[in-house]
Amino acid sequence: MKISKRPFGPFLDVPCDDIKPAGFKCRECRHPVEKLAKVLPNLVPRMFFYSCKCGMVTTWEDEAQPQGSRVWRLNTNLLKRSGAKVLIFNGARKLSAGFSGIN
Ligand SMILES: [Zn+2]
């Protein structure tokens, strides 16, 4: 049986079944924001990845999650200002704008 996969943010070959709608739309690119929960080996809590055409936002499971278009817009603004494609929240402290692990 072949599992259908597609790219998601910086990841290639993510099983389509793992990608869920986040339940709101991006006000910038007008695309629905999608969400991927990923368990990394030996890492708790899980990481949540949110993505639209503007970029990707990553949070830990135990942190505040982007829950609507209004909050999402703050993220896309930050993505644009910093020129980054991936935004990672780390213990509620934003990494410095110059940080570019994956972008
Ligand atoms: Zn967008």
Side-chain angles (χ1 to χ4, degrees):
M1 194 180 87
K2 191 177 183 301
I3 303 171
S4 58
K5 295 180 174 181
R6 66 175 176 91
F8 182 78
F11 305 108
L12 300 169
D13 297 341
V14 175
C16 291
D17 286 352
D18 290 356
I19 301 171
K20 313 281 187 215
F24 55 90
K25 278 190 176 181
C26 173
R27 289 183 184 176
E28 289 293 328
C29 66
R30 314 237 163 237
H31 279 83
V33 178
E34 296 177 315
K35 173 181 169 180
L36 168 71
K38 202 157 181 58
V39 181
L40 302 182
N42 304 318
L43 268 184
V44 179
R46 289 183 295 171
M47 295 193 87
F48 285 165
F49 301 90
Y50 294 86
S51 182
C52 69
K53 298 280 179 216
C54 304
M56 170 174 276
V57 173
T58 303
T59 61
W60 294 99
E61 187 171 25
D62 60 353
E63 292 180 320
Q65 309 295 323
Q67 277 169 340
S69 303
R70 208 167 58 82
V71 175
W72 185 252
R73 182 176 230 171
L74 301 175
N75 292 325
T76 52
N77 285 345
L78 192 55
L79 284 165
K80 264 202 257 172
R81 271 215 308 276
S82 63
K85 290 279 179 285
V86 180
L87 193 63
I88 302 175
F89 286 86
N90 189 15
R93 291 186 311 273
K94 294 184 185 77
L95 295 167
S96 66
F99 175 84
S100 57
I102 320 179
N103 66 359

